[in-house]
Amino acid sequence: MRLSVAFRHAHLSHASIRRSRAGVKVLNSENRRISDNSAVSHPWVREASSTSGTSETVTSFKSHPRKNDGPLYQSAVCDIVQRSREELKAIRETNPGLKPTLAIIQAGEDDDLLEVNKKMAGKIGLNVMQICLPRQCTEEEAIEEILRLNEDSRVYGIFLHLPQSFLSKSVRNAIKPQKDVDGVSDLNVGRVVLGDQRDGFASPIAGAVLEMLARHDAPLIGKMAVLVGVEGPLKATLQFLLQNNGMMVQTCQWSSKHLQKQIMDSDVVILLETDHKGLPPTWLRPGVAVINLSSALMEEHPDSWEHRAEAESGAGVGPLSAALRMQHVVRSSRRWIQEQQYQPWRLHPLKLQPLSPVPSDIEISRAQTPKPISQLAQEVGLLPEELEAYGNTKAKVHLSLLNRLQHQPNGKYVLVAGITPTPLGEGKSTVTIGLVQALSAHLKLNSFACLRQPSQGPTFGVKGGAAGGGYAQVIPMEEFNLHLTGDIHAITAANNLVAAAIDARILHEATQSDKALYSRLVPSVNGVRCFSPIQMARLQRLGINKSDPSDLTPEEVRAFVRLDLDPEKVTWQRVIDTNDRFLRKITVGQANTEKGNARQTQFDIAVASEIMAILALTDGLADMRARLGRMVVGSSRNGQPITADDLGVTGALAVLMKDAIKPTLMQTLEGTPVFVHAGPFANIAHGNSSVLADKLALKLVGEEGFVVTEAGFGADIGMEKFFNIKCRTSGLKPDVVVLVATVRALKMHGGGPNVTAGVPLPKEYISENLQLVADGCSNLKKQIQIAHLFGVPVVVALNAFKTDTQAEIDLVCRIAEASGASAAVQCHHWSRGGRGSVELAQAVKKVASQKNYFQFLYNLQDSVVEKIRTIAQKVYGADDIELSPEAQAKIDYYNQQGFGALPICMAKTHLSLSHMPEKKGVPTGFILPIRDIRASIGAGFIYPLVGTMSTMPGLPTRPCFYDIDLDPVTEEIKGLF
């Protein structure tokens, strides 16, 4: 068994790392220049003796060196070393931290080969890592080590220095082709056979042979070479390389009865001696070149290693092949750098054949065969190691992409928002998908859609699916709407772990003494007591600068163990991803085992959790962990905020969320990419998909590409929060707003009758009524004005329905442009896919290229009251705000705790610009009531509750789940939108 140990880099310019049973050893590389007197006594190319009896038939192929063969071939080594050193220097100019490493896997702990390669690596500036396996190691051990090195970001070349019996096909092909610097994998050998080595490597030993032959006067074309005792990948590589250089090649074994004739007929003899003693001089005619590869290969018998090492330490095939091997490592690192850079997309859109009448969404989704997610990832420039597949149609994308493309300019940033919607929604997701399908599949511009993950609450409640609709949707829609990659489940688990920790801590503090609490919180393990890192952080916050648990005074112990959470001031709620109105107020702790520690609390919908808001706003794992630790869960009895860090739960939360932080890659019906990530409610939280998804997409599309991200509900809610909260956090500036409107919604704002989900539309909405449309455009005009408050241009996308008349459509477009929209176009993506949104895509492209003057609505240093008032008056159109006593008390408390400089996230109905859902159009003359104020310190905002806003939706009389079912035979889902 090999010893599993951790690797570390030495702080040396050139180093080799040796791994063996003894552990890890760091060895300095010698950095001497190759000298001309380093040749050994026996050359690897020698002229045949004239005593062979064939001097009168000397061939015209003069393969012998001119004179003093050592310096000639040492100059070949020097040339290769110099080229490699210069190439590595050029690479490091743009990647100064790069330290490419060659990993040598060998059987046993012989150091001779290491010394040769280490010296050569030192001359170039590379590192060498030696992995010594047992001499009788198994194939599985070798493969395990290779697979580990394949994933080691420091290693750019893997050299298998193992006996031939160990170099099975499985072992050779376990090496990633891009790290196979010895050219032993079938793929690299195949590239040699096909004469295409642009992306692969040929054997450096074969390369050394060619280099040696090329440095002689005579041309190679038409000459005969024989390979004696050479087997495996080296044989195939040598044969085809020599043939590609115009030579004729024969192969034979030492036991061949025609061996003497083949050698005597050859101009070049390339042999591997193994246990043979070489060739009789009488077999070699004058002028023949004899190249013995034994000095560069380890024979089957360990007894011959000493001879091999001696040969390789001087001039010959060994040093020359070592130099070429190092050259391959440098080129491997250069190719890796090139792969890390932005790659132009090679997107292959999927074809759409829209039907009329348009089938149901789920029928359309199932009629299209999605591309394998790995193919889509490759098309948009993702590397295989950046993808974590969840089945064949979705995958997580690693955040390492941001580091890889950190110098790549961002693409254009487009926000899709909407007018105040009807309860049926106005199709922002559909417009988002249709727009990116038009940009990518039809205008051939790189584009990414960034959407939120739908909550199970509305999916089974009143809204149904949220994957878009018609011929503009994310596929497969069932996977998009149900579970996806489990992010919401992870949030639910993390949120409820905090809730459990809160109640458990309250119980234990109420029923135990300080000493008992301390002994349990800091237990003795094997006779040793020590604080965990998160406990050390709490001690520091308390001003206790001690690390030995036995050093704390009784007063310090009490301060440490007692959070003293006031049960009446716990602000953290449990969550569930279901609309369950009976959980809006509950009592917990009623069992006898809880010893009378009952209290009232409630459930929120899972997507209203602060952890969901954190996921949407974080920029990485470290930031997410810090935000999770800052979450305030309640107050102590003396008014101090209690955080997740104080509970000691932060690390566990980060573990639960470590996969959820990665955006999920999916695709549209036309095979264009989509990031699905986070799902905060817009009327409760900030209602936008994640900052990380947007940032990843902006790098992937390139400078001329487009990222289209959607804000929840109307522009007064989702767009305002996008600008004031999300853009502050991300530092990103939008280029254009696409404002979605429908004739149906405008008629409602113009005085049309109420619209109810599941009930047929009144006649006003299915027949032409220009007056209702004109009156309702007041809401559209107001939303355009809101966007202009932030200095961002607007393109109005009129999501056309089959009941809309051309006169109504033209009227909306005229009013929109007269109200300040840069463009207003009708869209037919629902019935035609991307082709139906080409006009919108062209308008977005044109407007996004214009300069804008983005600005925030308020300064963070303004008071909490002034920030709320600014939003109420400038965005909603209120005359003023009215704070309840509870809200005012909360503001005073947050100011006292230093939270007053956070942005504001208004929790307000989405059905009206005001707090009154029934008030359509543009309400005026109202006072906005602020019932309560809460703080999401980890997420980084304060959220006022306006009117009767609820954080737990309820199910309607007839929820969507009445129509959802599963076919037990086909396992197909029915009724999901």
Side-chain angles (χ1 to χ4, degrees):
M1 291 289 289
R2 59 178 177 78
L3 184 65
S4 178
V5 292
F7 279 99
R8 60 185 176 90
H9 271 306
H11 298 289
L12 304 167
S13 56
H14 316 300
S16 70
I17 304 173
R18 176 179 173 186
R19 181 183 184 194
S20 69
R21 298 172 197 257
V24 175
K25 203 163 62 171
V26 179
L27 307 167
N28 289 329
S29 291
E30 294 181 23
N31 206 15
R32 298 195 304 266
R33 189 177 70 84
I34 297 178
S35 59
D36 288 344
N37 60 0
S38 60
V40 294
S41 58
H42 53 284
W44 36 257
V45 175
R46 61 182 183 269
E47 186 177 357
S49 169
S50 59
T51 60
S52 62
T54 57
S55 56
E56 57 271 25
T57 57
V58 175
T59 177
S60 61
F61 177 50
K62 299 176 181 178
S63 63
H64 57 279
R66 293 182 184 87
K67 195 174 184 180
N68 299 326
D69 60 339
L72 176 65
Y73 297 112
Q74 288 156 14
S75 69
V77 173
C78 287
D79 289 346
I80 295 168
V81 167
Q82 184 62 29
R83 286 197 304 268
S84 300
R85 185 189 295 125
E86 291 173 356
E87 188 173 355
L88 184 60
K89 180 181 178 182
I91 292 172
R92 281 179 170 161
E93 286 177 357
T94 54
N95 300 271
L98 186 69
K99 295 182 179 178
T101 296
L102 169 69
I104 301 175
I105 300 179
Q106 65 182 61
E109 299 189 15
D110 175 65
D111 284 345
D112 293 326
L113 180 78
L114 172 67
E115 289 303 315
V116 174
N117 285 277
K118 184 179 68 173
K119 289 177 183 178
M120 201 65 70
K123 298 173 191 300
I124 295 170
L126 303 174
N127 290 341
V128 173
M129 178 189 295
Q130 181 189 32
I131 294 94
C132 298
L133 300 177
R135 288 202 174 184
Q136 301 302 320
C137 66
T138 65
E139 182 178 283
E140 290 73 18
E141 284 182 293
I143 291 176
E144 181 184 353
E145 201 63 56
I146 291 168
L147 295 178
R148 186 189 60 78
L149 293 172
N150 281 343
E151 304 307 317
D152 192 329
S153 60
R154 301 168 297 171
V155 174
Y156 292 88
I158 300 174
F159 173 26
L160 300 181
H161 190 63
L162 300 170
Q164 290 297 315
S165 59
F166 279 71
L167 294 177
S168 66
K169 184 172 183 176
S170 298
V171 171
R172 291 186 286 105
N173 289 326
I175 308 176
K176 278 187 177 180
Q178 57 267 40
K179 294 190 178 186
D180 176 27
V181 292
D182 257 52
V184 297
S185 66
D186 287 351
L187 179 58
N188 277 331
V189 173
R191 284 166 171 162
V192 173
V193 171
L194 295 174
D196 182 8
Q197 299 173 50
R198 290 171 297 179
D199 298 321
F201 296 108
S203 164
I205 296 175
V209 170
L210 280 181
E211 185 75 29
M212 289 156 54
L213 294 176
R215 290 190 175 245
H216 291 274
D217 297 333
L220 301 180
I221 297 175
K223 300 301 182 290
M224 175 64 73
V226 61
L227 309 182
V228 184
V230 183
E231 294 296 333
L234 179 58
K235 172 184 174 181
T237 301
L238 269 172
Q239 184 173 352
F240 281 94
L241 283 178
L242 293 171
Q243 288 175 345
N244 290 342
N245 280 272
M247 298 188 74
M248 297 175 288
V249 181
Q250 298 182 83
T251 64
C252 66
Q253 299 296 324
W254 286 100
S255 58
S256 172
K257 62 182 179 180
H258 303 297
L259 176 61
Q260 179 178 356
K261 183 178 185 306
Q262 286 178 299
I263 290 174
M264 295 185 70
D265 290 343
S266 298
D267 303 298
V268 177
V269 177
I270 302 170
L271 57 90
L272 177 61
E273 286 183 343
T274 61
D275 55 352
H276 294 269
K277 301 302 181 184
L279 299 172
T282 56
W283 288 16
L284 302 173
R285 64 184 183 182
V288 68
V290 180
I291 303 176
N292 190 344
L293 303 182
S294 301
S295 62
L297 289 173
M298 182 179 73
E299 287 81 354
E300 198 74 34
H301 304 291
D303 293 342
S304 63
W305 291 3
E306 205 171 299
H307 168 74
R308 180 265 309 152
E310 178 189 353
E312 189 154 29
S313 65
V317 180
L320 194 52
S321 63
L324 288 169
R325 185 176 297 117
M326 300 308 158
Q327 184 180 67
H328 289 175
V329 175
V330 173
R331 291 181 178 173
S332 173
S333 66
R334 184 193 65 197
R335 291 172 185 171
W336 182 85
I337 292 296
Q338 291 171 342
E339 288 177 354
Q340 303 306 299
Q341 296 170 353
Y342 173 79
Q343 298 294 326
W345 283 19
R346 300 176 300 277
L347 188 70
H348 299 285
L350 300 175
K351 299 298 182 182
L352 272 188
Q353 295 180 330
L355 301 177
S356 183
V358 177
S360 70
D361 291 349
I362 200 163
E363 288 176 313
I364 293 172
S365 175
R366 287 177 180 161
Q368 183 67 289
T369 302
K371 290 182 283 192
I373 201 66
S374 57
Q375 177 187 335
L376 176 63
Q378 183 180 31
E379 290 176 354
V380 301
L382 284 162
L383 302 180
E385 58 266 28
E386 293 168 342
L387 208 66
E388 188 176 315
Y390 281 64
N392 198 42
T393 55
K394 57 186 182 291
K396 289 284 192 181
V397 173
H398 288 249
L399 305 186
S400 59
L401 172 68
L402 285 174
N403 291 328
R404 176 168 71 86
L405 298 182
Q406 59 183 312
H407 300 300
Q408 169 67 20
N410 288 339
K412 300 294 184 182
Y413 198 26
V414 181
L415 173 68
V416 175
I419 65 169
T420 304
T422 69
L424 305 180
E426 307 318 308
K428 291 192 307 299
S429 299
T430 311
V431 168
T432 299
I433 300 303
L435 175 56
V436 296
Q437 288 181 167
L439 286 165
S440 287
H442 300 276
L443 298 189
K444 307 303 179 184
L445 297 168
N446 298 348
S447 69
F448 239 104
C450 291
L451 299 177
R452 289 173 297 164
Q453 179 182 348
S455 165
Q456 179 180 298
T459 298
F460 288 94
V462 67
K463 186 177 181 181
Y471 287 100
Q473 58 174 301
V474 181
I475 57 173
M477 71 164 296
E478 302 101 307
E479 295 184 21
F480 179 90
N481 283 296
L482 301 173
H483 305 297
L484 197 61
T485 48
D487 293 356
I488 294 180
H489 301 315
I491 289 164
T492 301
N495 185 101
N496 293 341
L497 177 61
V498 176
I502 291 169
D503 287 317
R505 189 60 176 260
I506 292 173
L507 168 69
H508 294 314
E509 288 190 23
T511 58
Q512 296 182 48
S513 66
D514 293 349
K515 182 178 180 181
L517 277 171
Y518 193 52
S519 65
R520 288 179 172 87
L521 287 172
V522 192
S524 176
V525 179
N526 296 325
V528 178
R529 295 180 74 187
C530 62
F531 295 114
S532 68
I534 200 165
Q535 289 176 327
M536 287 296 300
R538 172 162 169 76
L539 287 172
Q540 291 171 7
R541 288 194 299 276
L542 293 171
I544 303 173
N545 297 315
K546 297 178 180 178
S547 59
D548 188 339
S550 62
D551 290 345
L552 268 65
T553 66
E555 292 76 15
E556 290 172 336
V557 167
R558 181 174 181 80
F560 173 76
V561 300
R562 300 235 170 245
L563 300 181
D564 201 25
L565 256 169
D566 187 342
E568 299 298 321
K569 294 180 180 178
V570 171
T571 56
W572 193 263
Q573 317 293 357
R574 289 167 171 81
V575 300
I576 187 171
D577 196 32
T578 303
N579 292 356
D580 193 342
R581 63 176 68 246
F582 275 73
L583 294 178
R584 289 172 177 170
K585 180 174 283 190
I586 61 172
T587 301
V588 296
Q590 291 187 331
N592 292 334
T593 53
E594 311 321 310
K595 302 178 182 179
N597 286 284
R599 66 181 182 89
Q600 280 198 342
T601 183
Q602 68 183 57
F603 270 79
D604 292 338
I605 188 80
V607 288
S609 169
E610 182 175 355
I611 297 177
M612 173 63 86
I614 288 173
L615 178 67
L617 292 172
T618 189
D619 65 2
L621 271 171
D623 176 67
M624 182 179 72
R625 191 190 183 286
R627 287 174 178 268
L628 291 170
R630 291 196 299 267
M631 294 186 306
V632 174
V633 302
S635 300
S636 67
R637 286 183 171 85
N638 63 6
Q640 293 302 309
I642 304 300
T643 67
D645 269 350
D646 292 323
L647 285 170
V649 74
T650 308
L653 300 181
V655 169
L656 287 171
M657 294 293 294
K658 72 179 181 64
D659 293 318
I661 197 173
K662 305 166 193 169
T664 299
L665 178 67
M666 295 188 75
Q667 64 191 285
T668 70
L669 278 166
E670 296 191 53
T672 66
V674 179
F675 272 140
V676 185
H677 200 214
F681 266 18
N683 55 356
I684 298 172
H686 68 284
N688 287 270
S689 64
S690 76
V691 166
L692 282 170
D694 290 358
K695 285 188 171 183
L696 290 169
L698 284 165
K699 295 299 183 185
L700 284 170
V701 298
E703 193 169 8
E704 302 302 318
F706 290 80
V707 171
V708 184
T709 189
E710 177 195 348
F713 292 129
D716 56 304
I717 299 180
M719 183 182 72
E720 181 269 316
K721 295 173 182 177
F722 175 87
F723 291 145
N724 280 323
I725 298 176
K726 185 176 179 180
C727 289
R728 284 185 197 271
T729 300
S730 68
L732 300 173
K733 296 182 178 180
D735 295 288
V736 61
V737 167
V738 174
L739 190 62
V740 179
T742 62
V743 169
R744 178 178 67 190
L746 293 172
K747 287 180 176 179
M748 181 190 69
H749 288 296
N754 289 335
V755 174
T756 304
V759 177
L761 288 170
K763 60 181 178 59
E764 288 86 351
Y765 295 102
I766 56 178
S767 58
E768 184 174 290
N769 191 321
L770 295 177
Q771 188 59 52
L772 281 180
V773 173
D775 292 344
C777 280
S778 61
N779 186 274
L780 173 61
K781 181 179 180 179
K782 174 64 175 175
Q783 303 286 16
I784 294 171
Q785 292 172 350
I786 294 171
H788 287 166
L789 288 173
F790 298 91
V792 184
V794 175
V795 173
V796 171
L798 186 63
N799 188 14
F801 288 70
K802 62 182 180 180
T803 55
D804 300 342
T805 68
Q806 193 60 48
E808 290 172 330
I809 291 171
D810 292 342
L811 176 61
V812 174
C813 292
R814 286 198 305 272
I815 293 175
E817 291 180 352
S819 301
S822 299
V825 297
Q826 58 180 306
C827 307
H828 298 277
H829 44 271
W830 183 80
S831 58
R832 303 177 195 169
R835 192 174 301 280
S837 284
V838 168
E839 187 180 355
L840 173 63
Q842 291 169 333
V844 167
K845 178 186 176 184
K846 179 180 178 181
V847 175
S849 65
Q850 301 170 1
K851 189 172 182 179
N852 69 55
Y853 302 92
F854 176 71
Q855 62 183 3
F856 297 116
L857 187 63
Y858 52 77
N859 191 310
L860 288 180
Q861 301 310 313
D862 295 342
S863 69
V864 172
V865 172
E866 280 307 307
K867 285 181 282 196
I868 296 172
R869 180 176 285 116
T870 298
I871 295 172
Q873 292 178 336
K874 292 188 176 182
V875 177
Y876 306 152
D879 288 346
D880 204 349
I881 62 173
E882 181 180 65
L883 296 172
S884 70
E886 184 178 4
Q888 184 61 63
K890 290 283 187 67
I891 290 175
D892 295 339
Y893 174 73
Y894 294 145
N895 286 332
Q896 177 189 351
Q897 297 300 326
F899 303 150
L902 294 175
I904 302 299
C905 183
M906 302 288 280
K908 181 186 78 71
T909 179
H910 60 289
L911 297 175
S912 172
L913 283 165
S914 72
H915 60 288
M916 300 167 283
E918 69 279 5
K919 298 293 185 182
K920 306 302 181 183
V922 183
T924 58
F926 64 93
I927 303 296
L928 192 74
I930 308 301
R931 173 173 58 87
D932 192 9
I933 293 183
R934 300 176 185 173
S936 292
I937 305 305
F941 55 70
I942 289 174
Y943 62 104
L945 298 178
V946 179
T948 58
M949 191 65 219
S950 173
T951 54
M952 171 56 83
L955 289 173
T957 304
R958 191 186 189 282
C960 293
F961 61 65
Y962 274 82
D963 302 310
I964 298 173
D965 205 346
L966 180 71
D967 187 317
V969 177
T970 64
E971 296 188 8
E972 282 193 345
I973 297 170
K974 302 176 181 178
L976 187 62
F977 218 59

